[in-house]
Coordinates of all heavy atoms in Angstrom, one line a residue:
L63 N 3.1 -6.9 4.3 CA 3.3 -5.7 3.5 C 3.9 -4.6 4.3 O 4.8 -3.9 3.9 CB 2.0 -5.3 2.8 CG 1.5 -6.2 1.7 CD1 0.1 -5.9 1.4 CD2 2.4 -6.1 0.5
M64 N 3.4 -4.4 5.6 CA 3.9 -3.3 6.4 C 5.4 -3.6 6.7 O 6.2 -2.6 6.7 CB 3.2 -3.3 7.7 CG 1.7 -2.8 7.6 SD 1.6 -1.1 7.1 CE 2.2 -0.3 8.5
T65 N 5.8 -4.8 6.9 CA 7.2 -5.1 7.2 C 8.0 -4.9 5.9 O 9.2 -4.4 6.0 CB 7.3 -6.6 7.7 OG1 6.6 -6.7 8.9 CG2 8.8 -6.9 8.0
L66 N 7.5 -5.3 4.8 CA 8.3 -5.2 3.5 C 8.5 -3.7 3.2 O 9.6 -3.3 2.8 CB 7.5 -5.8 2.4 CG 8.1 -5.8 1.0 CD1 9.5 -6.4 1.0 CD2 7.2 -6.4 0.0
I67 N 7.5 -2.9 3.4 CA 7.6 -1.4 3.2 C 8.8 -0.9 4.1 O 9.6 -0.1 3.6 CB 6.3 -0.7 3.5 CG1 5.3 -1.1 2.4 CG2 6.5 0.8 3.6 CD1 3.8 -0.8 2.8
D68 N 8.8 -1.3 5.3 CA 9.8 -0.8 6.2 C 11.2 -1.3 5.8 O 12.2 -0.5 5.7 CB 9.6 -1.3 7.7 CG 10.6 -0.9 8.7 OD1 10.7 0.4 8.8 OD2 11.2 -1.7 9.3
E69 N 11.3 -2.6 5.4 CA 12.6 -3.1 4.9 C 13.1 -2.4 3.6 O 14.3 -2.2 3.5 CB 12.4 -4.6 4.5 CG 12.2 -5.5 5.7 CD 11.9 -6.9 5.3 OE1 11.6 -7.2 4.2 OE2 11.8 -7.7 6.3
L70 N 12.2 -1.9 2.8 CA 12.6 -1.2 1.6 C 12.7 0.3 1.8 O 13.0 1.0 0.8 CB 11.5 -1.4 0.5 CG 11.4 -2.9 0.0 CD1 10.3 -3.1 -0.9 CD2 12.7 -3.3 -0.6
G71 N 12.6 0.8 3.0 CA 12.9 2.2 3.3 C 11.7 3.1 3.3 O 11.8 4.3 3.4
G72 N 10.5 2.6 3.2 CA 9.3 3.4 3.2 C 8.7 3.6 4.6 O 9.2 3.0 5.5
I73 N 7.7 4.3 4.7 CA 7.0 4.5 6.0 C 5.6 3.9 5.8 O 4.8 4.5 5.0 CB 6.9 6.0 6.4 CG1 8.3 6.5 6.6 CG2 6.0 6.1 7.7 CD1 8.3 8.0 6.8
G74 N 5.3 2.8 6.4 CA 4.0 2.2 6.3 C 3.0 2.8 7.2 O 3.3 3.1 8.3
K75 N 1.8 3.0 6.7 CA 0.7 3.5 7.5 C -0.5 2.5 7.4 O -1.0 2.2 6.3 CB 0.2 4.9 6.9 CG -0.8 5.6 7.8 CD -0.9 7.0 7.4 CE -2.1 7.6 8.2 NZ -1.7 8.5 9.2
D76 N -0.8 1.9 8.5 CA -1.7 0.8 8.6 C -3.2 1.3 8.7 O -3.5 2.0 9.7 CB -1.4 0.0 9.8 CG -2.1 -1.3 9.9 OD1 -3.2 -1.5 9.2 OD2 -1.7 -2.2 10.7
Y77 N -4.0 0.9 7.7 CA -5.4 1.3 7.7 C -6.3 0.2 8.2 O -7.5 0.3 8.0 CB -5.8 1.9 6.4 CG -5.2 3.3 6.1 CD1 -3.9 3.4 5.7 CD2 -5.9 4.4 6.5 CE1 -3.4 4.7 5.5 CE2 -5.4 5.7 6.3 CZ -4.1 5.8 5.8 OH -3.6 7.1 5.7
G78 N -5.8 -0.9 8.7 CA -6.6 -1.9 9.2 C -7.3 -2.8 8.2 O -6.8 -3.0 7.1
I79 N -8.5 -3.2 8.6 CA -9.3 -4.1 7.8 C -10.6 -3.4 7.5 O -11.3 -3.0 8.4 CB -9.6 -5.4 8.5 CG1 -8.3 -6.2 8.8 CG2 -10.5 -6.3 7.6 CD1 -8.5 -7.4 9.7
S80 N -11.0 -3.3 6.2 CA -12.3 -2.7 5.8 C -13.3 -3.9 5.6 O -13.0 -4.9 5.0 CB -12.2 -1.9 4.5 OG -13.4 -1.5 4.1
V81 N -14.5 -3.7 6.1 CA -15.6 -4.6 5.8 C -15.9 -4.4 4.3 O -15.6 -3.4 3.7 CB -16.8 -4.4 6.7 CG1 -16.4 -4.6 8.2 CG2 -17.4 -3.0 6.5
D82 N -16.6 -5.4 3.8 CA -17.1 -5.4 2.4 C -18.3 -4.5 2.3 O -19.4 -5.0 2.2 CB -17.4 -6.8 1.9 CG -16.1 -7.7 1.8 OD1 -15.1 -7.1 1.4 OD2 -16.2 -8.9 2.1
S83 N -18.1 -3.2 2.2 CA -19.1 -2.2 2.1 C -18.6 -1.1 1.2 O -17.5 -0.6 1.4 CB -19.5 -1.7 3.4 OG -20.0 -0.4 3.4
R84 N -19.3 -0.7 0.2 CA -18.9 0.4 -0.7 C -18.6 1.7 0.1 O -17.6 2.3 -0.2 CB -19.9 0.6 -1.8 CG -20.0 -0.4 -2.9 CD -21.1 -0.1 -3.9 NE -21.1 -1.1 -5.0 CZ -21.6 -2.3 -4.9 NH1 -22.2 -2.6 -3.8 NH2 -21.6 -3.1 -5.9
E85 N -19.5 2.0 1.0 CA -19.3 3.2 1.8 C -18.1 3.2 2.6 O -17.3 4.1 2.6 CB -20.6 3.5 2.6 CG -21.8 3.7 1.8 CD -22.5 2.4 1.2 OE1 -22.2 1.3 1.8 OE2 -23.2 2.5 0.2
A86 N -17.9 2.1 3.4 CA -16.7 2.0 4.3 C -15.4 2.0 3.4 O -14.5 2.7 3.8 CB -16.8 0.7 5.1
L87 N -15.4 1.2 2.4 CA -14.2 1.2 1.5 C -13.9 2.5 0.9 O -12.8 3.0 1.0 CB -14.4 0.1 0.4 CG -13.2 -0.1 -0.5 CD1 -12.1 -0.8 0.3 CD2 -13.6 -1.0 -1.7
G88 N -14.9 3.2 0.4 CA -14.7 4.5 -0.3 C -14.2 5.5 0.7 O -13.3 6.3 0.4
S89 N -14.7 5.5 1.9 CA -14.3 6.4 3.0 C -12.8 6.2 3.4 O -12.0 7.2 3.5 CB -15.2 6.3 4.2 OG -14.7 7.1 5.3
I90 N -12.4 5.0 3.5 CA -11.0 4.7 3.9 C -10.1 5.0 2.8 O -9.0 5.6 3.0 CB -10.9 3.2 4.4 CG1 -11.7 2.9 5.6 CG2 -9.4 2.9 4.6 CD1 -11.8 1.4 6.0
I91 N -10.4 4.6 1.6 CA -9.6 5.0 0.4 C -9.4 6.5 0.3 O -8.3 7.0 0.0 CB -10.1 4.3 -0.9 CG1 -9.9 2.8 -0.8 CG2 -9.3 4.8 -2.1 CD1 -10.4 2.0 -1.9
D92 N -10.5 7.2 0.4 CA -10.4 8.7 0.3 C -9.4 9.2 1.4 O -8.6 10.1 1.1 CB -11.8 9.3 0.6 CG -12.7 9.2 -0.6 OD1 -12.2 8.8 -1.7 OD2 -13.9 9.4 -0.5
R93 N -9.5 8.7 2.6 CA -8.5 9.1 3.6 C -7.1 8.7 3.3 O -6.2 9.5 3.5 CB -8.9 8.5 5.0 CG -8.3 9.2 6.2 CD -9.0 8.8 7.5 NE -8.1 7.7 8.0 CZ -8.6 6.5 8.4 NH1 -9.9 6.3 8.4 NH2 -7.8 5.6 8.9
M94 N -6.9 7.5 2.7 CA -5.6 7.1 2.3 C -5.0 8.0 1.3 O -3.8 8.4 1.4 CB -5.6 5.6 1.8 CG -5.9 4.6 2.8 SD -6.2 2.9 2.1 CE -4.5 2.5 1.6
V95 N -5.8 8.4 0.3 CA -5.3 9.2 -0.8 C -4.9 10.6 -0.2 O -3.8 11.1 -0.6 CB -6.4 9.4 -1.9 CG1 -6.1 10.6 -2.8 CG2 -6.7 8.2 -2.6
S96 N -5.6 11.1 0.8 CA -5.2 12.4 1.3 C -4.0 12.3 2.3 O -3.3 13.3 2.5 CB -6.4 13.0 2.1 OG -6.7 12.3 3.3
E97 N -3.6 11.1 2.8 CA -2.6 11.0 3.8 C -1.3 10.3 3.3 O -0.3 10.3 4.0 CB -3.1 10.3 5.0 CG -4.2 11.0 5.7 CD -4.9 10.2 6.8 OE1 -4.5 9.0 7.0 OE2 -5.7 10.7 7.5
C98 N -1.4 9.7 2.1 CA -0.3 8.8 1.7 C 0.2 9.2 0.3 O -0.5 9.8 -0.5 CB -0.7 7.3 1.7 SG -1.3 6.8 3.3
D99 N 1.4 8.7 0.0 CA 2.1 8.9 -1.3 C 1.8 7.7 -2.2 O 1.7 7.9 -3.5 CB 3.6 9.0 -1.2 CG 4.0 10.2 -0.3 OD1 3.5 11.3 -0.5 OD2 4.7 9.9 0.7
V100 N 1.6 6.5 -1.7 CA 1.4 5.3 -2.4 C 0.3 4.5 -1.6 O 0.3 4.5 -0.4 CB 2.7 4.4 -2.5 CG1 2.4 3.1 -3.3 CG2 3.8 5.2 -3.2
L101 N -0.5 3.8 -2.3 CA -1.6 3.0 -1.7 C -1.5 1.6 -2.1 O -1.3 1.3 -3.3 CB -3.0 3.6 -2.0 CG -3.2 5.1 -1.6 CD1 -2.8 6.0 -2.8 CD2 -4.6 5.3 -1.2
I102 N -1.8 0.7 -1.1 CA -1.8 -0.7 -1.4 C -3.0 -1.3 -0.7 O -3.2 -1.1 0.5 CB -0.6 -1.5 -0.9 CG1 0.7 -0.9 -1.6 CG2 -0.7 -3.0 -1.2 CD1 2.0 -1.5 -1.0
T103 N -3.8 -2.1 -1.4 CA -4.9 -2.9 -0.8 C -4.7 -4.3 -1.0 O -4.0 -4.7 -2.0 CB -6.3 -2.5 -1.3 OG1 -6.3 -2.6 -2.7 CG2 -6.7 -1.1 -0.9
S104 N -5.2 -5.2 -0.1 CA -5.1 -6.6 -0.3 C -6.6 -7.1 -0.2 O -7.2 -6.9 0.8 CB -4.3 -7.2 0.9 OG -4.4 -8.6 0.8
G105 N -7.0 -7.7 -1.3 CA -8.3 -8.3 -1.4 C -9.3 -7.4 -2.2 O -9.0 -6.2 -2.4
G106 N -10.4 -7.9 -2.6 CA -11.4 -7.2 -3.3 C -11.2 -6.9 -4.7 O -11.9 -6.0 -5.3
V107 N -10.3 -7.6 -5.4 CA -10.1 -7.4 -6.8 C -10.5 -8.5 -7.7 O -10.2 -8.4 -8.9 CB -8.6 -7.0 -7.1 CG1 -8.3 -5.6 -6.5 CG2 -7.6 -8.0 -6.6
S108 N -11.1 -9.5 -7.2 CA -11.5 -10.7 -8.1 C -12.9 -10.3 -8.6 O -13.2 -9.2 -8.7 CB -11.5 -12.0 -7.3 OG -10.2 -12.3 -7.0
M109 N -13.6 -11.3 -8.9 CA -14.9 -11.2 -9.6 C -16.1 -11.4 -8.8 O -17.3 -11.4 -9.2 CB -15.0 -12.1 -10.8 CG -13.8 -11.9 -11.8 SD -13.7 -10.2 -12.5 CE -15.1 -10.1 -13.5
G110 N -16.0 -11.6 -7.5 CA -17.1 -11.9 -6.6 C -18.0 -10.6 -6.3 O -17.5 -9.5 -6.5
D111 N -19.2 -10.9 -5.9 CA -20.1 -9.8 -5.6 C -19.6 -8.8 -4.5 O -19.9 -7.6 -4.5 CB -21.5 -10.3 -5.1 CG -22.2 -11.0 -6.2 OD1 -21.9 -10.8 -7.4 OD2 -23.1 -11.8 -5.9
L112 N -18.8 -9.3 -3.6 CA -18.2 -8.5 -2.5 C -16.8 -8.0 -2.8 O -16.1 -7.5 -1.9 CB -18.4 -9.2 -1.2 CG -19.8 -9.4 -0.7 CD1 -19.8 -10.1 0.6 CD2 -20.6 -8.1 -0.6
D113 N -16.3 -8.3 -4.0 CA -15.0 -7.8 -4.4 C -15.2 -6.3 -4.9 O -15.4 -6.1 -6.1 CB -14.3 -8.7 -5.4 CG -13.9 -10.0 -4.8 OD1 -13.3 -10.0 -3.7 OD2 -14.0 -11.0 -5.5
L114 N -15.1 -5.4 -4.0 CA -15.5 -4.0 -4.2 C -14.3 -3.0 -4.6 O -14.6 -1.9 -5.0 CB -16.2 -3.5 -3.0 CG -17.4 -4.3 -2.6 CD1 -18.0 -3.8 -1.3 CD2 -18.5 -4.3 -3.7
V115 N -13.1 -3.4 -4.4 CA -12.0 -2.5 -4.6 C -11.8 -2.2 -6.1 O -11.8 -1.1 -6.5 CB -10.6 -3.1 -4.1 CG1 -9.5 -2.2 -4.5 CG2 -10.7 -3.2 -2.5
K116 N -11.8 -3.3 -6.9 CA -11.6 -3.0 -8.4 C -12.7 -2.2 -9.0 O -12.4 -1.2 -9.7 CB -11.5 -4.4 -9.1 CG -11.0 -4.3 -10.5 CD -10.6 -5.6 -11.0 CE -9.6 -5.5 -12.1 NZ -9.1 -6.8 -12.5
P117 N -14.0 -2.4 -8.7 CA -15.1 -1.5 -9.2 C -14.9 -0.1 -8.8 O -15.1 0.9 -9.5 CB -16.4 -2.1 -8.7 CG -16.1 -3.5 -8.4 CD -14.6 -3.6 -8.0
Y118 N -14.5 0.1 -7.5 CA -14.3 1.5 -7.0 C -13.1 2.2 -7.8 O -13.3 3.3 -8.2 CB -13.9 1.5 -5.5 CG -13.5 2.8 -5.0 CD1 -14.5 3.6 -4.4 CD2 -12.2 3.3 -5.0 CE1 -14.2 4.9 -3.9 CE2 -11.9 4.5 -4.5 CZ -12.9 5.3 -4.0 OH -12.6 6.6 -3.5
L119 N -12.1 1.4 -8.0 CA -10.9 2.0 -8.7 C -11.2 2.3 -10.2 O -10.8 3.3 -10.8 CB -9.7 1.1 -8.6 CG -9.1 0.9 -7.2 CD1 -8.0 -0.1 -7.2 CD2 -8.7 2.3 -6.7
E120 N -12.0 1.4 -10.8 CA -12.4 1.6 -12.2 C -13.3 2.8 -12.4 O -13.2 3.5 -13.3 CB -13.1 0.3 -12.7 CG -12.2 -0.9 -12.9 CD -13.0 -2.1 -13.3 OE1 -14.2 -2.2 -13.0 OE2 -12.3 -3.1 -13.8
Q121 N -14.1 3.1 -11.4 CA -15.0 4.2 -11.4 C -14.3 5.5 -11.1 O -14.6 6.6 -11.6 CB -16.1 4.0 -10.4 CG -17.2 5.1 -10.4 CD -18.4 4.8 -9.5 OE1 -18.4 3.9 -8.8 NE2 -19.3 5.7 -9.6

Side-chain angles (χ1 to χ4, degrees):
L63 289 166
M64 292 293 293
T65 302
L66 181 61
I67 291 162
D68 182 60
E69 290 172 353
L70 294 173
I73 299 170
K75 188 166 172 106
D76 189 343
Y77 285 86
I79 300 169
S80 174
V81 296
D82 291 325
S83 149
R84 283 179 180 80
E85 296 76 25
L87 184 67
S89 175
I90 296 170
I91 291 175
D92 287 345
R93 200 169 92 232
M94 291 173 72
V95 168
S96 71
E97 297 173 354
C98 301
D99 303 308
V100 179
L101 300 92
I102 301 174
T103 55
S104 174
V107 292
S108 291
M109 302 304 287
D111 290 341
L112 293 178
D113 288 319
L114 304 173
V115 174
K116 195 167 201 169
Y118 175 90
L119 294 175
E120 288 172 341
Q121 183 176 4

